[in-house]
C-alpha cells in the first residue's frame, strides 16, 4: 500500500432520526446561542408544521430569541450572504441557524465567512483560506442531498460574473447539524430526484478521486448501495419513511466522503451550468455524470469495474473494461428511472458558452481531484456529449 497521510474531517455532532428537530432549542441554548439569525427561504418559512415552524417552536420553548432571514435563493448569490450579514449586525444576533437544503446552509456559511474573514468572499475562494472561526452555526437539513450540513464547503454564485465558486475550509463545518427524515416526507418528486442524484454523484466522484482512501471508500460504497435501494422508492413514494431515512444516511456518508476525498469534473462542470443558467445543482450533476465518467474510465478501469458491481450489475466473466462500461450504463439507468432530463439542452445550455465554461471548470476547486487530467478541449467535448445526448 502506498504511503499516505491526510486530515480526516467529520461533522462534530449530527442529530439523526424522525423527530430529532424538537431538540434544536435545547441544543442552541447549550451552545450559548442567545439570538440566532434563522436563514431560510419564503417557501420553507410558510410550510405548515415544516422544518422552519418546528425549529421556531423548539427555540421558543427553550427561551431562545431569533430573527428570520427568508431571502435564500437557489444557487445562493453574494447578495444573499451580504443581506444576512447586514441583518446579523443590525439585529445584534450572535449566531446562525440554517434551515433548508444546500442553498440555505451555504448562505449561512457564506454570511459567517464574511462576518469574520473580510467582506470580499471572492478573494476567499479556494481551499483552507479562512483564518478566523465563523459565528456558531447549526444546520437543519431538509434535502437528501448536498451534505452541506456537515461539509467544509460553501458554494456561492457571483451574480455579476455568473461564476459559481467554492470556499473550502474546516472552519465552515457547522457545529451541530440535524437530519430529520420526517422533514423530507413532502419533498416533491423532482426535487427528491435532483437532490438524490447529487448524493449519488457525491458518492461516485470521491470513489474514483485521486484523493480517495480506505475510509472514504467504505463511505462511498455504503452510500451507493443505500441510494441504489432507496432513491427510486423515495421518488415513487415520497411518504416511505424507510426510503427517506436511507437517503439521509446515504447523503451523510457521501458528504463525509467528499469532505475528505474531494470530487471531480462532474462538480467542476456542474458549477458552470449552475452559475451560467441558474439550473438546479443536482440536475446539472446528473446530466454530466455518465459523460464525465465515460471520459474518466481509462484512468482507472478497475475502480469503475468495482463501481459496476457496487451498483448491482452482473460483471461475472467480463473483462475489466467491459465491467467498467457497465457502471456508465447503471448511472444512466438511475437518472432515467428517477426522471432526470436527458440533455443539458433542456436546462438552457448553449454550445457557444462551452469554451468559457470549460476554462472556468478547470479552475474550479473540484477539478484537481479528478482521476484523469483534461485539457480545455476535452472538457468542451464532454459538455458537447452531454448536449447531444438523446
Ligand atoms: P436547495 O437548497 O437549492 O433547495 C431547492 C428548493 O427546494 C428550494 O426552493 C427549497 O425551498 C425547496 N426545499 C428544500 N427543502 C424542502 C422540503 N423539505 N420540502 C419541500 N421543498 C423543499 O437545493 P439543494 O439541492 O439542497 O442545494 C443545492 C445547492 O447546494 C447548490 O447551490 C449546490 O451548489 C450546493 N451544494 C453545496 C454543497 C456543500 O457541501 N456546501 C454540496 C453540494 C451542493
Amino acid at each position: 500500500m502506498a504511503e499516505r497521510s491526510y486530515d480526516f474531517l467529520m461533522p462534530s455532532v449530527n442529530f439523526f432520526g424522525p423527530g430529532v428537530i424538537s431538540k434544536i432549542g435545547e441544543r442552541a441554548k447549550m451552545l450559548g446561542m442567545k439570538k440566532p439569525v434563522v436563514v431560510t427561504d419564503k417557501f420553507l418559512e410558510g410550510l405548515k408544521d415544516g422544518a422552519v415552524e418546528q425549529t421556531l417552536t423548539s427555540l421558543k420553548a427553550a427561551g431562545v430569541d431569533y430573527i428570520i432571514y427568508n431571502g435564500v435563493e437557489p444557487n445562493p448569490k453574494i447578495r444573499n450572504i451580504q443581506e444576512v450579514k447586514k441583518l446579523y449586525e443590525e439585529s445584534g444576533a450572535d449566531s446562525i441557524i440554517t434551515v433548508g437544503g444546500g442553498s440555505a446552509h451555504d448562505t449561512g456559511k457564506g454570511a459567517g465567512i464574511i462576518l469574520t474573514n473580510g467582506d470580499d468572499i471572492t478573494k476567499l475562494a479556494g481551499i483552507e483560506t479562512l483564518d478566523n472561526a465563523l459565528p456558531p452555526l447549526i444546520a437543519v437539513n431538509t434535502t437528501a442531498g448536498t451534505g452541506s450540513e456537515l461539509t467544509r464547503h460553501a458554494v456561492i454564485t457571483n451574480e455579476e460574473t455568473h461564476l459559481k465558486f467554492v470556499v473550502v475550509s474546516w472552519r465552515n463545518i457547522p457545529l451541530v447539524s440535524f437530519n430529520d427524515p420526517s422533514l423530507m416526507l413532502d419533498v416533491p418528486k423532482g426535487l427528491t430526484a435532483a437532490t438524490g442524484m447529487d448524493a449519488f454523484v457525491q458518492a461516485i466522484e470521491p470513489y474514483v478521486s485521486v484523493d480517495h482512501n480506505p475510509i472514504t471508500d467504505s463511505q462511498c460504497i455504503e452510500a451507493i448501495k443505500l441510494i441504489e435501494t432507496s432513491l427510486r422508492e423515495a421518488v415513487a413514494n415520497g411518504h416511505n419513511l424507510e426510503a427517506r431515512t436511507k437517503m439521509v444516511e446515504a447523503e451523510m456518508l457521501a458528504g463525509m466522503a467528499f469532505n475528505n476525498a474531494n470530487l471531480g469534473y462532474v462538480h467542476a462542470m456542474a458549477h458552470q451550468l449552475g452559475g451560467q443558467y441558474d439550473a438546479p445543482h443536482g440536475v446539472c450533476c446528473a446530466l454530466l455524470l455518465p459523460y464525465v465518467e465515460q471520459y474518466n474510465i481509462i484512468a482507472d478501469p478497475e475502480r469503475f469495474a468495482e463501481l459496476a458491481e457496487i451498483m448491482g450489475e452482473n460483471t461475472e466473466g467480463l473483462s475489466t473494461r467491459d465491467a467498467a462500461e457497465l457502471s456508465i450504463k447503471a448511472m444512466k439507468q438511475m437518472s432515467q428511472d428517477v426522471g432526470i432530463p436527458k440533455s443539458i439542452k433542456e436546462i438552457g445550455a448553449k454550445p457557444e458558452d462551452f469554451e468559457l465554461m470549460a476554462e472556468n471548470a478547470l479552475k474550479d476547486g473540484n477539478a484537481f481531484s479528478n482521476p484523469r487530467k483534461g485539457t480545455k478541449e476535452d472538457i468542451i467535448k464532454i459538455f458537447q456529449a452531454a448536449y447531444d445526448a438523446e
Side-chain angles (χ1 to χ4, degrees):
M1 190 179 280
E3 197 175 295
R4 57 176 165 256
S5 64
Y6 48 80
D7 303 340
F8 199 85
L9 298 151
M10 299 277 287
S12 50
V13 188
N14 184 279
F15 291 98
F16 180 87
V20 287
I21 188 64
S22 64
K23 291 189 194 165
I24 189 169
E26 145 205 333
R27 282 287 150 181
K29 208 168 173 180
M30 281 165 71
L31 286 172
M33 291 182 166
K34 293 204 166 54
K35 188 172 183 182
V37 180
V38 176
V39 174
T40 190
D41 63 38
K42 288 191 188 68
F43 173 76
L44 291 171
E45 188 189 13
L47 262 191
K48 183 94 198 76
D49 203 29
V52 175
E53 192 179 318
Q54 293 195 47
T55 298
L56 301 184
T57 302
S58 179
L59 290 175
K60 277 180 211 155
V64 178
D65 193 11
Y66 56 80
I67 183 152
I68 299 178
Y69 171 79
N70 65 10
V72 170
E73 297 175 59
N75 298 310
K77 319 290 183 282
I78 293 176
R79 65 171 168 263
N80 300 130
I81 68 170
Q82 285 168 342
E83 286 162 5
V84 175
K85 178 181 181 235
K86 190 163 179 273
L87 183 65
Y88 184 104
E89 288 173 336
E90 287 177 358
S91 65
D94 62 0
S95 50
I96 297 170
I97 297 180
T98 58
V99 186
S103 297
H105 308 318
D106 290 355
T107 301
K109 289 176 181 178
I113 291 169
I114 59 171
L115 274 159
T116 54
N117 287 272
D119 216 29
D120 187 356
I121 194 168
T122 59
K123 290 199 181 125
L124 298 165
I127 297 179
E128 297 305 345
T129 51
L130 304 183
D131 291 331
N132 304 313
L134 274 56
L137 198 155
I138 298 181
V140 178
N141 194 32
T142 66
T143 65
T146 67
S148 178
E149 77 282 5
L150 50 80
T151 67
R152 60 180 176 142
H153 303 65
V155 191
I156 307 293
T157 299
N158 183 334
E159 56 271 40
E160 279 171 21
T161 59
H162 300 288
L163 264 184
K164 217 171 164 177
F165 59 93
V166 196
V167 182
V168 184
S169 168
W170 65 275
R171 294 188 183 279
N172 277 334
I173 299 177
L175 287 182
V176 173
S177 54
F178 283 80
N179 262 312
D180 183 336
S182 68
L183 300 176
M184 301 173 193
L185 291 175
D186 290 316
V187 176
K189 278 186 196 312
L191 183 62
T192 303
T195 51
M197 285 305 291
D198 188 17
F200 191 50
V201 173
Q202 288 174 175
I204 292 171
E205 288 208 285
Y207 193 74
V208 296
S209 148
V210 294
D211 295 326
H212 76 90
N213 61 53
I215 306 174
T216 58
D217 286 352
S218 63
Q219 291 167 329
C220 294
I221 292 168
E222 193 53 31
I224 293 168
K225 286 183 178 169
L226 283 164
I227 293 168
E228 281 289 346
T229 56
S230 61
L231 179 55
R232 292 171 177 90
E233 176 59 23
V235 171
N237 174 14
H239 272 268
N240 181 332
L241 186 61
E242 170 75 10
R244 292 289 188 191
T245 302
K246 283 176 159 187
M247 279 308 299
V248 179
E249 287 167 335
E251 72 98 34
M252 288 177 66
L253 283 162
M256 283 186 263
F258 86 82
N259 228 3
N260 292 285
N262 302 311
L263 293 160
Y265 284 168
V266 179
H267 271 77
M269 295 171 67
H271 286 165
Q272 310 316 314
L273 295 176
Q276 196 64 31
Y277 311 115
D278 215 358
H281 174 73
V283 174
C284 298
C285 285
L287 287 167
L288 292 165
L289 176 71
Y291 305 98
V292 170
E293 302 311 353
Q294 183 72 59
Y295 169 81
N296 281 338
I297 278 185
I298 60 161
D300 203 343
E302 287 80 12
R303 298 258 333 142
F304 283 95
E306 287 165 18
L307 269 182
E309 253 184 72
I310 299 163
M311 291 176 193
E313 295 293 319
N314 181 2
T315 59
E316 218 179 299
L318 294 182
S319 67
T320 304
R321 181 60 199 243
D322 286 348
E325 293 288 344
L326 278 186
S327 71
I328 310 296
K329 181 179 151 249
M331 292 170 204
K332 286 186 178 163
Q333 190 65 53
M334 176 66 88
S335 269
Q336 190 184 325
D337 289 350
V338 299
I340 298 288
K342 286 222 158 61
S343 156
I344 59 172
K345 241 182 251 164
E346 292 168 67
I347 54 164
K350 297 188 194 71
E352 58 266 33
D353 298 333
F354 292 169
E355 183 166 354
L356 182 62
M357 291 200 300
E359 257 169 43
N360 289 327
L362 286 172
K363 291 184 212 150
D364 185 281
N366 292 299
F368 306 106
S369 42
N370 195 68
R372 184 172 172 192
K373 297 297 155 226
T375 60
K376 185 173 85 179
E377 287 65 37
D378 292 338
I379 306 294
I380 293 173
K381 277 190 199 147
I382 300 171
F383 274 129
Q384 191 65 50
Y387 183 88
D388 293 334
E390 288 178 344

Short mmCIF file of all heavy atoms in Angstrom, two decimals, residues 177-218:
data_model
loop_
_atom_site.label_atom_id
_atom_site.label_comp_id
_atom_site.label_asym_id
_atom_site.label_seq_id
_atom_site.Cartn_x
_atom_site.Cartn_y
_atom_site.Cartn_z
N SER A 177 -25.51 19.59 13.38
CA SER A 177 -26.50 19.53 12.29
C SER A 177 -27.62 18.58 12.67
O SER A 177 -27.45 17.69 13.51
CB SER A 177 -25.84 19.12 10.97
OG SER A 177 -25.14 17.92 11.12
N PHE A 178 -28.77 18.82 12.05
CA PHE A 178 -29.95 17.99 12.29
C PHE A 178 -30.39 17.36 10.97
O PHE A 178 -30.58 18.07 9.98
CB PHE A 178 -31.12 18.84 12.84
CG PHE A 178 -30.97 19.18 14.29
CD1 PHE A 178 -30.13 20.20 14.69
CD2 PHE A 178 -31.64 18.45 15.26
CE1 PHE A 178 -29.97 20.51 16.04
CE2 PHE A 178 -31.49 18.74 16.60
CZ PHE A 178 -30.65 19.77 17.00
N ASN A 179 -30.50 16.04 10.97
CA ASN A 179 -31.02 15.34 9.80
C ASN A 179 -32.22 14.53 10.23
O ASN A 179 -32.10 13.41 10.73
CB ASN A 179 -29.94 14.43 9.20
CG ASN A 179 -29.26 15.10 8.04
OD1 ASN A 179 -29.93 15.63 7.15
ND2 ASN A 179 -27.95 15.08 8.02
N ASP A 180 -33.39 15.14 10.06
CA ASP A 180 -34.64 14.52 10.50
C ASP A 180 -35.41 14.11 9.25
O ASP A 180 -35.98 14.95 8.55
CB ASP A 180 -35.42 15.58 11.32
CG ASP A 180 -36.71 15.03 11.89
OD1 ASP A 180 -37.24 14.05 11.32
OD2 ASP A 180 -37.19 15.59 12.89
N PRO A 181 -35.42 12.79 8.91
CA PRO A 181 -36.06 12.36 7.65
C PRO A 181 -37.54 12.70 7.58
O PRO A 181 -38.09 12.81 6.48
CB PRO A 181 -35.86 10.84 7.63
CG PRO A 181 -34.94 10.51 8.74
CD PRO A 181 -34.86 11.66 9.68
N SER A 182 -38.20 12.90 8.74
CA SER A 182 -39.64 13.21 8.67
C SER A 182 -39.86 14.58 8.02
O SER A 182 -40.94 14.86 7.50
CB SER A 182 -40.30 13.14 10.05
OG SER A 182 -39.82 14.19 10.87
N LEU A 183 -38.82 15.43 8.03
CA LEU A 183 -38.95 16.75 7.39
C LEU A 183 -38.90 16.64 5.86
O LEU A 183 -39.10 17.62 5.16
CB LEU A 183 -37.83 17.68 7.85
CG LEU A 183 -37.76 17.97 9.35
CD1 LEU A 183 -36.54 18.84 9.67
CD2 LEU A 183 -39.04 18.66 9.82
N MET A 184 -38.55 15.44 5.37
CA MET A 184 -38.37 15.28 3.92
C MET A 184 -39.52 14.51 3.27
O MET A 184 -39.52 14.27 2.07
CB MET A 184 -37.04 14.58 3.65
CG MET A 184 -35.89 15.38 4.22
SD MET A 184 -34.33 14.55 4.12
CE MET A 184 -33.33 15.59 5.21
N LEU A 185 -40.52 14.14 4.07
CA LEU A 185 -41.61 13.30 3.53
C LEU A 185 -42.38 13.99 2.42
O LEU A 185 -42.93 13.33 1.54
CB LEU A 185 -42.58 12.90 4.66
CG LEU A 185 -42.00 11.92 5.69
CD1 LEU A 185 -43.00 11.68 6.82
CD2 LEU A 185 -41.63 10.60 5.04
N ASP A 186 -42.43 15.33 2.44
CA ASP A 186 -43.22 16.03 1.44
C ASP A 186 -42.37 16.67 0.34
O ASP A 186 -42.88 17.48 -0.44
CB ASP A 186 -44.10 17.09 2.10
CG ASP A 186 -45.21 16.44 2.92
OD1 ASP A 186 -45.81 15.48 2.39
OD2 ASP A 186 -45.42 16.85 4.07
N VAL A 187 -41.10 16.32 0.28
CA VAL A 187 -40.27 16.86 -0.81
C VAL A 187 -40.83 16.34 -2.13
O VAL A 187 -41.02 15.13 -2.29
CB VAL A 187 -38.78 16.43 -0.65
CG1 VAL A 187 -37.95 16.91 -1.82
CG2 VAL A 187 -38.21 16.97 0.66
N PRO A 188 -41.14 17.24 -3.09
CA PRO A 188 -41.72 16.78 -4.36
C PRO A 188 -40.78 15.86 -5.14
O PRO A 188 -39.57 15.86 -4.91
CB PRO A 188 -41.94 18.08 -5.14
CG PRO A 188 -41.65 19.20 -4.22
CD PRO A 188 -40.95 18.69 -3.02
N LYS A 189 -41.39 15.09 -6.06
CA LYS A 189 -40.63 14.08 -6.83
C LYS A 189 -39.38 14.65 -7.51
O LYS A 189 -38.30 14.09 -7.42
CB LYS A 189 -41.51 13.51 -7.95
CG LYS A 189 -42.47 12.43 -7.50
CD LYS A 189 -43.18 11.86 -8.73
CE LYS A 189 -44.40 11.06 -8.35
NZ LYS A 189 -44.25 10.07 -7.30
N GLY A 190 -39.57 15.77 -8.22
CA GLY A 190 -38.46 16.34 -8.99
C GLY A 190 -37.30 16.73 -8.10
O GLY A 190 -36.12 16.50 -8.42
N LEU A 191 -37.60 17.32 -6.95
CA LEU A 191 -36.56 17.74 -6.01
C LEU A 191 -35.91 16.52 -5.34
O LEU A 191 -34.69 16.49 -5.13
CB LEU A 191 -37.17 18.68 -4.96
CG LEU A 191 -36.22 19.28 -3.93
CD1 LEU A 191 -35.16 20.17 -4.60
CD2 LEU A 191 -36.98 20.12 -2.90
N THR A 192 -36.72 15.50 -5.05
CA THR A 192 -36.18 14.25 -4.48
C THR A 192 -35.17 13.65 -5.47
O THR A 192 -34.07 13.22 -5.08
CB THR A 192 -37.31 13.23 -4.20
OG1 THR A 192 -38.26 13.84 -3.34
CG2 THR A 192 -36.77 11.97 -3.57
N ALA A 193 -35.56 13.63 -6.75
CA ALA A 193 -34.68 13.04 -7.77
C ALA A 193 -33.40 13.86 -7.92
O ALA A 193 -32.28 13.31 -7.92
CB ALA A 193 -35.42 12.98 -9.10
N ALA A 194 -33.54 15.18 -8.01
CA ALA A 194 -32.36 16.03 -8.24
C ALA A 194 -31.39 15.95 -7.06
O ALA A 194 -30.18 15.76 -7.24
CB ALA A 194 -32.80 17.48 -8.46
N THR A 195 -31.92 16.07 -5.85
CA THR A 195 -31.03 16.06 -4.68
C THR A 195 -30.46 14.66 -4.46
O THR A 195 -29.30 14.51 -4.06
CB THR A 195 -31.77 16.56 -3.42
OG1 THR A 195 -32.99 15.84 -3.26
CG2 THR A 195 -32.10 18.04 -3.52
N GLY A 196 -31.27 13.63 -4.75
CA GLY A 196 -30.78 12.26 -4.61
C GLY A 196 -29.65 11.98 -5.61
O GLY A 196 -28.68 11.29 -5.30
N MET A 197 -29.79 12.51 -6.82
CA MET A 197 -28.72 12.32 -7.82
C MET A 197 -27.46 13.07 -7.41
O MET A 197 -26.34 12.63 -7.70
CB MET A 197 -29.20 12.78 -9.21
CG MET A 197 -30.17 11.83 -9.89
SD MET A 197 -29.60 10.11 -10.05
CE MET A 197 -28.27 10.27 -11.24
N ASP A 198 -27.62 14.21 -6.73
CA ASP A 198 -26.45 14.93 -6.22
C ASP A 198 -25.70 14.03 -5.23
O ASP A 198 -24.47 13.87 -5.31
CB ASP A 198 -26.91 16.23 -5.54
CG ASP A 198 -25.76 17.15 -5.16
OD1 ASP A 198 -24.64 16.96 -5.68
OD2 ASP A 198 -25.97 18.07 -4.34
N ALA A 199 -26.46 13.40 -4.32
CA ALA A 199 -25.83 12.49 -3.35
C ALA A 199 -25.14 11.32 -4.07
O ALA A 199 -24.03 10.90 -3.70
CB ALA A 199 -26.88 11.98 -2.36
N PHE A 200 -25.79 10.80 -5.12
CA PHE A 200 -25.22 9.68 -5.91
C PHE A 200 -23.87 10.10 -6.51
O PHE A 200 -22.87 9.39 -6.39
CB PHE A 200 -26.24 9.35 -7.00
CG PHE A 200 -26.01 8.08 -7.76
CD1 PHE A 200 -25.79 6.87 -7.13
CD2 PHE A 200 -26.08 8.08 -9.17
CE1 PHE A 200 -25.62 5.69 -7.86
CE2 PHE A 200 -25.91 6.92 -9.90
CZ PHE A 200 -25.68 5.72 -9.25
N VAL A 201 -23.85 11.28 -7.12
CA VAL A 201 -22.60 11.78 -7.73
C VAL A 201 -21.55 12.01 -6.64
O VAL A 201 -20.36 11.72 -6.83
CB VAL A 201 -22.87 13.08 -8.52
CG1 VAL A 201 -21.56 13.69 -9.01
CG2 VAL A 201 -23.80 12.82 -9.68
N GLN A 202 -22.01 12.48 -5.48
CA GLN A 202 -21.06 12.76 -4.39
C GLN A 202 -20.54 11.48 -3.73
O GLN A 202 -19.62 11.53 -2.92
CB GLN A 202 -21.71 13.69 -3.36
CG GLN A 202 -21.83 15.09 -3.95
CD GLN A 202 -22.57 16.09 -3.10
OE1 GLN A 202 -22.63 17.25 -3.47
NE2 GLN A 202 -23.14 15.71 -2.00
N ALA A 203 -21.16 10.35 -4.06
CA ALA A 203 -20.61 9.07 -3.61
C ALA A 203 -19.69 8.48 -4.69
O ALA A 203 -18.74 7.76 -4.38
CB ALA A 203 -21.74 8.10 -3.29
N ILE A 204 -19.98 8.78 -5.96
CA ILE A 204 -19.19 8.21 -7.06
C ILE A 204 -17.87 8.99 -7.25
O ILE A 204 -16.79 8.39 -7.38
CB ILE A 204 -20.01 8.20 -8.37
CG1 ILE A 204 -21.16 7.19 -8.23
CG2 ILE A 204 -19.14 7.87 -9.58
CD1 ILE A 204 -22.18 7.23 -9.35
N GLU A 205 -17.96 10.32 -7.26
CA GLU A 205 -16.73 11.10 -7.54
C GLU A 205 -15.61 10.84 -6.51
O GLU A 205 -14.46 10.65 -6.90
CB GLU A 205 -17.04 12.59 -7.66
CG GLU A 205 -17.79 12.92 -8.95
CD GLU A 205 -17.53 14.34 -9.44
OE1 GLU A 205 -18.08 15.28 -8.85
OE2 GLU A 205 -16.77 14.49 -10.42
N PRO A 206 -15.91 10.80 -5.19
CA PRO A 206 -14.80 10.52 -4.26
C PRO A 206 -14.27 9.09 -4.39
O PRO A 206 -13.12 8.82 -4.07
CB PRO A 206 -15.43 10.71 -2.87
CG PRO A 206 -16.75 11.32 -3.08
CD PRO A 206 -17.16 11.12 -4.50
N TYR A 207 -15.13 8.16 -4.90
CA TYR A 207 -14.65 6.77 -5.05
C TYR A 207 -13.56 6.68 -6.11
O TYR A 207 -12.62 5.90 -5.98
CB TYR A 207 -15.83 5.85 -5.40
CG TYR A 207 -15.46 4.39 -5.26
CD1 TYR A 207 -15.31 3.81 -4.00
CD2 TYR A 207 -15.21 3.60 -6.38
CE1 TYR A 207 -14.93 2.48 -3.87
CE2 TYR A 207 -14.82 2.27 -6.25
CZ TYR A 207 -14.68 1.72 -4.99
OH TYR A 207 -14.28 0.41 -4.86
N VAL A 208 -13.67 7.51 -7.16
CA VAL A 208 -12.66 7.45 -8.23
C VAL A 208 -11.67 8.61 -8.13
O VAL A 208 -10.77 8.74 -8.97
CB VAL A 208 -13.32 7.42 -9.64
CG1 VAL A 208 -14.15 6.16 -9.81
CG2 VAL A 208 -14.19 8.65 -9.89
N SER A 209 -11.82 9.44 -7.09
CA SER A 209 -10.93 10.61 -6.94
C SER A 209 -9.49 10.19 -6.66
O SER A 209 -9.25 9.14 -6.06
CB SER A 209 -11.46 11.45 -5.75
OG SER A 209 -10.42 12.09 -5.08
N VAL A 210 -8.56 11.03 -7.03
CA VAL A 210 -7.14 10.74 -6.73
C VAL A 210 -6.88 10.81 -5.21
O VAL A 210 -5.86 10.33 -4.74
CB VAL A 210 -6.17 11.71 -7.45
CG1 VAL A 210 -6.25 11.51 -8.95
CG2 VAL A 210 -6.44 13.17 -7.09
N ASP A 211 -7.79 11.41 -4.46
CA ASP A 211 -7.59 11.58 -3.01
C ASP A 211 -8.31 10.52 -2.18
O ASP A 211 -8.39 10.67 -0.96
CB ASP A 211 -8.09 12.98 -2.57
CG ASP A 211 -7.28 14.10 -3.19
OD1 ASP A 211 -6.07 13.90 -3.39
OD2 ASP A 211 -7.86 15.15 -3.50
N HIS A 212 -8.83 9.48 -2.81
CA HIS A 212 -9.62 8.51 -2.02
C HIS A 212 -8.72 7.73 -1.07
O HIS A 212 -7.51 7.61 -1.29
CB HIS A 212 -10.40 7.57 -2.95
CG HIS A 212 -9.55 6.52 -3.59
ND1 HIS A 212 -9.34 5.28 -3.02
CD2 HIS A 212 -8.85 6.52 -4.74
CE1 HIS A 212 -8.56 4.58 -3.81
NE2 HIS A 212 -8.24 5.31 -4.86
N ASN A 213 -9.31 7.21 -0.01
CA ASN A 213 -8.56 6.37 0.93
C ASN A 213 -9.53 5.30 1.44
O ASN A 213 -10.73 5.36 1.14
CB ASN A 213 -7.95 7.23 2.05
CG ASN A 213 -9.01 7.94 2.87
OD1 ASN A 213 -9.94 7.33 3.37
ND2 ASN A 213 -8.88 9.27 2.99
N PRO A 214 -9.05 4.33 2.20
CA PRO A 214 -9.95 3.23 2.60
C PRO A 214 -11.16 3.70 3.40
O PRO A 214 -12.23 3.08 3.32
CB PRO A 214 -9.05 2.33 3.45
CG PRO A 214 -7.67 2.60 2.97
CD PRO A 214 -7.64 4.05 2.61
N ILE A 215 -11.02 4.79 4.16
CA ILE A 215 -12.17 5.25 4.96
C ILE A 215 -13.23 5.82 4.02
O ILE A 215 -14.41 5.50 4.12
CB ILE A 215 -11.73 6.30 6.01
CG1 ILE A 215 -10.59 5.75 6.86
CG2 ILE A 215 -12.92 6.71 6.88
CD1 ILE A 215 -10.00 6.76 7.84
N THR A 216 -12.80 6.69 3.10
CA THR A 216 -13.79 7.29 2.19
C THR A 216 -14.37 6.22 1.25
O THR A 216 -15.54 6.28 0.90
CB THR A 216 -13.19 8.46 1.38
OG1 THR A 216 -12.06 8.00 0.63
CG2 THR A 216 -12.78 9.59 2.29
N ASP A 217 -13.54 5.22 0.87
CA ASP A 217 -14.07 4.15 0.01
C ASP A 217 -15.25 3.47 0.68
O ASP A 217 -16.29 3.22 0.05
CB ASP A 217 -13.00 3.08 -0.25
CG ASP A 217 -11.94 3.55 -1.24
OD1 ASP A 217 -12.11 4.64 -1.83
OD2 ASP A 217 -10.93 2.84 -1.39
N SER A 218 -15.10 3.17 1.98
CA SER A 218 -16.18 2.44 2.64
C SER A 218 -17.43 3.32 2.72
O SER A 218 -18.55 2.83 2.59
CB SER A 218 -15.76 1.94 4.02
OG SER A 218 -15.46 3.04 4.85
#
